[in-house]
Amino acid sequence: MKTNAPEQKRPESASEIESSAASWAAKADRGDLSFDEQAALEKWLGADTRRLGAYARALAVNAHFDRAAALGPGFSPDDFEEARPSPPPALKRRHFLFAGGAALAASIAAAVGFGALSAGTAVVTAKGDTRRIALAEGSAITLNTDSRIEPRFEERLRQVDLVKGEALFDVSRDRDRPFVVHAGDVRIRVLGTSFSVRRFDDGAVEVAVLEGHVEVGAAGELHPHSLRRGQRVRVSPRGDFRIERVSHAALERSVGWRRGIIDLQGMTLAQAAAEYARYSDRRIIIADPAVGAMKVTGVYSTSDPLGFARAAALSLGIQAIPTADGVRLDRR
Amino acid sequence: MPSHDRTQWLARRILPHEGELRTWLSRRPLVGLDIDDVIQESYAILAGLGCVGHIRNPRTYLFEVAKSVVLMALRRSQVVSFSALTDMESLEVPCDAPGPDAIAAGRQELERIATFIATLPPKCREVFTLRKVHELSQREVAHRMGISESTVEKHMGKALRLLANAITYGGNSPIPASKACEDERARTETSGIRLRN
């Protein structure tokens, strides 16, 4: 994994910590930790106060369920199934089977609409541009800045390669003609939904589901992860999957680029500068790490990095100095 | 590292109020602050306290701790307007509602626990049921199911993660905090809190 990608500098998210903490609590649940494990745990805990909190919380969750013993050996979880908060209608294998017969005519009709895209043409956006491509069968693909897709539409399968960058897919439902997005080694397979896919420079891929559900897996994987509306998965360059829940508002914000806006809520100045570098060649330079660590908030235009830098400088009490190709933020 | 007793205290006295705390925090103008971060910092403080015997009202205490975490973060962030800070500082923690504590030992709570277990994915659920309902050790669960111990451990980790979310986000929605109240005892209890930076 490269270490120079901007997102690597982002502090570990609460969700990531929570996941590791649960693993540690499960290890502790086995019995006494070995000497080495104990040392490793202490080292892990020591790096961030939130880790101790997450670990204590995970232990507490485990202890909370001690009273489950009172349910007795006759307990069968199935009796409580109906109380489940409607499990996701998992994509069934058969949906992946190609349809024959009557559905074929419809597929052929739709295929005509893809004529312009089926010849293996690529669609690209320059830095700072977004582009929406409406497809005849009702789907649409919106490309974010500096991105490239290569659609490969076939009679019974709609395939798109996300070669670079980020795109939002609004896929019309067609159970006989699955829609598959390839992002490097990651494969996303859907029926009808709205979701975004972003490839990071370090090889990571992020998929966020705004509507419906999708399946995400490594190319050729037999058991992909099922992702519902409001969930986001990040696939690390090594192929680790990390699924987290995201509020609808946050998801909407994350695709604000569709309307030319960028939400910097909770980012540091350094992260905001890296984000702007995706959209523009006008650079925001921050030499001082203390300045880079300052938090910013608010919604800005993706096309105006200098305006953002000036606004940030004003609110943070620092100065924005124009340079040949952008702006430098520094202390007064 | 939290002791056994502290873990039990967190499980019985704090965890049941976390959902309500999240709701309360989500209504605050926590610009750029992640509620999950606040929750983790709060647990870290509670886990690190020298003793908890003097805490008569854990729920109020939890809210005060979370509030102090938020204030500290707001002061550090440098972006937040002065009014956001004063808003938060003057904020009263909500009154005691007939909260989860009252029903914690009851049949209702046991049913909730059963329901939560039922929501786990099948393998995970089987592991967790054998471990917590049948009280087998992880090793015994591995033997019983014919899977490796490390697989059992992974399922346990996943179960704990999912259950933590189920308890504190979903399921029974927490009782909304409608009116603020004074609680001098909680105030003096929390006056000694210092955050590590």
Side-chain angles (χ1 to χ4, degrees):
Chain A
M1 215 187 280
K2 283 189 227 162
T3 51
N4 56 348
E7 61 275 9
Q8 295 301 318
K9 290 179 198 144
R10 201 171 295 163
E12 188 180 23
S13 77
S15 165
E16 286 163 343
I17 291 178
E18 205 178 301
S19 190
S20 307
S23 300
W24 275 113
K27 206 176 271 301
D29 177 72
R30 229 173 43 202
D32 287 334
L33 294 174
S34 74
F35 183 78
D36 285 349
E37 286 169 339
Q38 184 79 19
L41 172 58
E42 269 164 32
K43 188 170 170 226
W44 181 78
L45 288 173
D48 187 329
T49 51
R50 292 178 300 163
R51 289 181 175 177
L52 171 62
Y55 180 60
R57 178 169 173 261
L59 291 178
V61 169
N62 197 11
H64 179 79
F65 280 87
D66 283 348
R67 73 186 75 160
L71 291 166
F75 166 71
S76 163
D78 298 343
D79 299 342
F80 292 82
E81 286 265 20
E82 74 278 12
R84 296 172 72 166
S86 60
L91 284 186
K92 298 206 173 62
R93 276 306 119 191
R94 59 184 169 80
H95 286 171
F96 291 163
L97 297 176
F98 293 148
L104 202 58
S107 296
I108 292 166
V112 176
F114 292 112
L117 288 168
S118 59
T121 50
V123 183
V124 297
T125 50
K127 199 172 255 201
D129 280 347
T130 60
R131 186 168 167 196
R132 182 176 167 90
I133 307 138
L135 305 174
E137 39 77 271
S139 300
I141 303 172
T142 315
L143 279 181
N144 197 1
T145 175
D146 199 16
S147 302
R148 178 188 178 97
I149 56 162
E150 294 178 3
R152 288 181 284 134
F153 286 114
E154 294 155 17
E155 209 170 271
R156 292 167 176 173
L157 193 59
R158 299 172 282 178
Q159 293 195 83
V160 177
D161 273 338
L162 175 65
V163 180
K164 183 185 180 195
E166 182 174 14
L168 177 75
F169 298 88
D170 293 297
V171 177
S172 69
R173 190 172 177 82
D174 184 350
R175 55 181 299 158
D176 299 320
R177 207 156 166 242
F179 195 103
V180 180
V181 177
H182 301 270
D185 289 326
V186 177
R187 194 172 77 150
I188 305 110
R189 183 158 198 158
V190 304
L191 294 173
T193 174
S194 175
F195 64 104
S196 70
V197 181
R198 176 173 171 190
R199 293 187 68 166
F200 290 88
D201 291 339
D202 68 346
V205 174
E206 208 170 66
V207 181
V209 182
L210 286 88
E211 276 167 32
H213 57 269
V214 309
E215 291 206 329
V216 183
E221 194 177 57
L222 289 175
H223 303 290
H225 299 252
S226 187
L227 222 61
R228 274 175 292 153
R229 173 196 169 127
Q231 287 186 312
R232 180 166 65 195
V233 66
R234 191 181 172 92
V235 188
S236 78
R238 286 180 307 156
D240 298 330
F241 283 71
R242 193 156 276 159
I243 298 176
E244 59 180 348
R245 191 195 301 221
V246 186
S247 75
H248 188 68
L251 276 179
E252 277 299 328
R253 283 202 304 271
S254 74
V255 292
W257 52 263
R258 271 187 299 184
R259 306 192 303 278
I261 58 175
I262 178 173
D263 190 321
L264 301 174
Q265 182 169 318
M267 285 192 195
T268 63
L269 263 186
Q271 287 163 349
E275 195 65 17
Y276 261 113
R278 296 177 63 202
Y279 295 95
S280 170
D281 285 322
R282 312 294 297 274
R283 301 287 305 280
I284 301 174
I285 307 292
I286 303 162
D288 186 344
V291 172
M294 289 176 173
K295 289 278 180 98
V296 295
T297 188
V299 175
Y300 296 87
S301 162
T302 52
S303 61
D304 189 16
L306 304 191
F308 158 72
R310 277 194 295 270
L314 200 63
S315 68
L316 294 168
I318 55 178
Q319 55 179 337
I321 306 143
T323 64
D325 62 348
V327 63
R328 196 176 81 240
L329 291 175
D330 216 332
R331 281 193 242 226
R332 278 189 192 285
Chain B
M1 221 165 292
S3 65
H4 174 77
D5 286 352
R6 184 59 53 84
T7 299
Q8 291 296 331
W9 182 78
L10 290 172
R12 294 208 185 108
R13 304 280 170 229
I14 297 296
L15 197 63
H17 304 295
E18 190 188 311
E20 194 192 348
L21 174 65
R22 283 178 182 275
T23 308
W24 186 70
L25 286 171
S26 69
R27 296 207 198 100
R28 313 271 84 82
L30 306 179
V31 186
L33 265 187
D34 187 340
I35 289 179
D36 288 325
D37 287 338
V38 175
I39 297 286
Q40 287 175 355
E41 296 276 9
S42 302
Y43 273 91
I45 289 168
L46 295 170
L49 290 174
C51 74
V52 294
H54 62 289
I55 298 173
R56 299 230 192 99
N57 188 335
R59 178 179 162 283
T60 310
Y61 196 84
L62 168 68
F63 276 67
E64 290 287 356
V65 165
K67 182 173 151 182
S68 72
V69 168
V70 171
L71 281 173
M72 187 63 75
L74 288 182
R75 287 199 191 93
R76 239 180 297 163
S77 74
Q78 308 188 27
V79 192
V80 182
S81 68
F82 183 71
S83 68
L85 261 180
T86 48
D87 283 355
M88 192 69 203
E89 262 167 344
S90 61
L91 195 72
E92 303 292 349
V93 310
C95 272
D96 260 344
D101 249 6
I103 54 164
R107 175 149 186 83
Q108 210 180 338
E109 182 60 13
L110 206 54
E111 270 173 26
R112 258 187 104 201
I113 278 181
T115 309
F116 285 140
I117 295 175
T119 62
L120 293 171
K123 277 279 178 223
C124 203
R125 186 171 66 191
E126 192 178 348
V127 166
F128 197 79
T129 303
L130 288 173
R131 174 74 192 86
K132 304 301 282 190
V133 181
H134 298 252
E135 296 182 282
L136 301 182
S137 69
Q138 284 195 24
R139 173 167 293 179
E140 289 163 341
V141 173
H143 277 295
R144 176 78 70 93
M145 292 177 68
I147 57 179
S148 73
E149 283 182 56
S150 70
T151 304
V152 170
E153 188 187 309
K154 282 203 188 79
H155 281 305
M156 275 302 288
K158 188 175 177 188
L160 292 178
R161 171 108 213 251
L162 293 171
L163 291 170
N165 280 336
I167 294 176
T168 55
Y169 290 97
N172 305 3
S173 61
I175 297 117
S178 52
K179 74 183 179 67
C181 69
E182 291 291 301
D183 191 333
E184 283 306 324
R185 191 177 62 241
R187 201 130 312 179
T188 47
E189 277 175 0
T190 39
S191 60
I193 292 170
R194 288 288 176 273
L195 288 185
R196 285 156 290 175
N197 242 325

